Amino acid sequence: MRALFAVVFAFGLLVGAPAYADKEADAYYKEGLAYKMEGKVDQAIGSLEKAVAKNPQHGMAWASLGALYKQKKDLPKSISAYESATKVITKDKTLWRNLGTAYANNSQNDKARDALTTASKLDPKDAEIHALLGTVRRKLNDNKGAITELEQAVKIKADEGEWWHSLGVAYRFDNRIDDAIKAYEKAIEISPNESRYHFDAGAAWRRKDDPEKAIPHYEKATELDPTFSEGWFDLGFMYKRNHENDKAIAAWQKYLELNKGKDAEGGKRIEEEMTSIGGTPKKETPKKPAPKKAAPKKK
């Protein structure tokens, strides 16, 4: 009888906390949620930490802690909380997605891939999870896998410009330039004011040695973001390739102004390119020091 009691008691410890602990944990959990609703993050965390101390199997308290730690930019604690939550609540795609995202933000891309794969298996039609998986797989140099996930994402939900852009980047790394251009054009159609989308489309057309198609994208990129030094750099080369030397010189001069004090090697190259087509890099005239004021005469 004692042996049986010992087994039952041990099993009880494994499967959960005593009833009174559950009640106390629930009370702290509800208190934490109330604080969270009021925007009192630190108090919410304090109450939720008490909840999981009373009942380490309180999955919802762990899940809420994961979100709050993330809000506080404490990734290690956020990850630990989401890990504890998914051990208890094993079939919630949102928890696995949040855990995967936290891993990715902490540069733990192998674990991010595994967590997001679990999330995707729980809901294969969740486009956002496919898109996140695509991004993580590209970071892991699994470009084929990235393309598969991103293609699935845009198939399910076709109105996210960022996903089309990411797909274009993956195609470019796979040397599928025509497919990359189509993806970039789709991204631009959805979000026409993203300078990076135009820049990457221009770069793809540049890879195809088609300055007529590349130039409008580079021009748009630098129009949307006049501080986009890479855009001015590439635009100058496309103007030169198109025998528009005056425009090339002007674009490169803009690059030199933006690049001042940054990439010395890049600056030197552009100065040489400008000189080769008859341009003269403009140097800033050093400002003369202000004249010193005469000391007041003693009376």
Side-chain angles (χ1 to χ4, degrees):
M1 186 69 178
R2 282 185 179 179
L4 177 61
F5 178 78
V7 171
V8 172
F9 181 71
F11 182 70
L13 288 176
L14 287 172
V15 298
Y20 69 85
D22 283 346
K23 288 180 180 178
E24 287 185 80
D26 284 339
Y28 282 126
Y29 172 65
K30 290 174 183 176
E31 182 180 76
L33 291 186
Y35 280 134
K36 184 180 177 183
M37 292 292 289
E38 294 172 10
K40 298 177 180 178
V41 175
D42 291 332
Q43 292 94 322
I45 288 173
S47 295
L48 291 166
E49 285 177 339
K50 289 176 183 176
V52 296
K54 288 291 181 183
N55 179 9
Q57 301 297 310
H58 203 307
M60 293 305 296
W62 282 118
S64 296
L65 274 171
L68 289 168
Y69 287 140
K70 179 185 175 184
Q71 191 174 331
K72 295 277 288 185
K73 302 189 187 311
D74 191 337
L75 272 177
K77 281 189 175 181
S78 179
I79 288 169
S80 180
Y82 281 133
E83 286 174 338
S84 295
T86 53
K87 286 176 184 175
V88 181
I89 307 170
T90 60
K91 296 188 182 298
D92 187 310
K93 70 165 185 178
T94 302
L95 278 180
W96 284 104
R97 183 196 64 199
N98 290 347
L99 176 57
T101 303
Y103 280 140
N105 289 337
N106 205 40
S107 300
Q108 294 174 265
N109 291 315
D110 286 326
K111 289 185 175 182
R113 176 199 56 210
D114 295 344
L116 290 168
T117 298
T118 299
S120 186
K121 287 177 180 177
L122 290 168
D123 185 358
K125 294 183 178 180
D126 190 309
E128 183 183 4
I129 293 171
H130 284 294
L132 289 168
L133 252 177
T135 301
V136 168
R137 288 189 182 280
R138 193 157 59 81
K139 288 179 180 177
L140 290 167
N141 297 318
D142 177 12
N143 209 52
K144 300 286 187 187
I147 289 171
T148 298
E149 296 294 347
L150 289 163
E151 285 179 338
Q152 189 66 17
V154 297
K155 182 179 179 182
I156 297 168
K157 194 173 188 294
D159 60 352
E160 289 288 342
E162 184 58 33
W163 299 352
W164 283 104
H165 176 254
S166 295
L167 179 57
V169 173
Y171 282 144
R172 188 190 75 208
F173 275 98
D174 205 39
N175 207 31
R176 293 167 59 179
I177 304 304
D178 289 335
D179 287 332
I181 288 170
K182 289 176 185 176
Y184 292 144
E185 295 291 356
K186 187 67 178 177
I188 290 167
E189 179 186 323
I190 296 166
S191 303
N193 294 323
E194 289 288 341
S195 59
R196 173 57 65 175
Y197 298 176
H198 287 282
F199 175 83
D200 284 343
W205 283 113
R206 183 182 177 188
R207 285 272 295 272
K208 288 177 70 69
D209 195 25
D210 191 335
E212 293 287 347
K213 296 282 182 62
I215 285 171
H217 284 296
Y218 282 129
E219 287 177 335
K220 190 65 177 178
T222 53
E223 176 192 325
L224 289 167
D225 182 3
T227 66
F228 198 165
S229 60
E230 290 176 273
W232 292 108
F233 184 97
D234 280 15
L235 180 56
F237 279 102
M238 286 295 92
Y239 280 142
K240 180 185 176 185
R241 177 71 180 79
N242 213 36
H243 308 293
E244 298 179 79
N245 289 350
D246 288 344
K247 288 184 176 181
I249 290 167
W252 282 333
Q253 182 60 46
K254 187 67 178 176
Y255 166 78
L256 290 175
E257 291 167 8
L258 293 168
N259 186 55
K260 185 181 177 184
K262 297 176 184 176
D263 180 6
E265 188 176 335
K268 182 181 178 183
R269 179 187 175 190
I270 291 306
E271 287 180 357
E272 291 171 354
E273 289 285 350
M274 288 175 72
T275 303
S276 73
I277 57 174
T280 303
K282 295 177 184 176
K283 304 287 186 181
E284 278 191 7
T285 306
K287 293 181 180 179
K288 293 181 180 179
K292 293 182 180 180
K293 292 182 179 179
K297 293 180 180 179
K298 293 181 180 180
K299 292 182 179 179

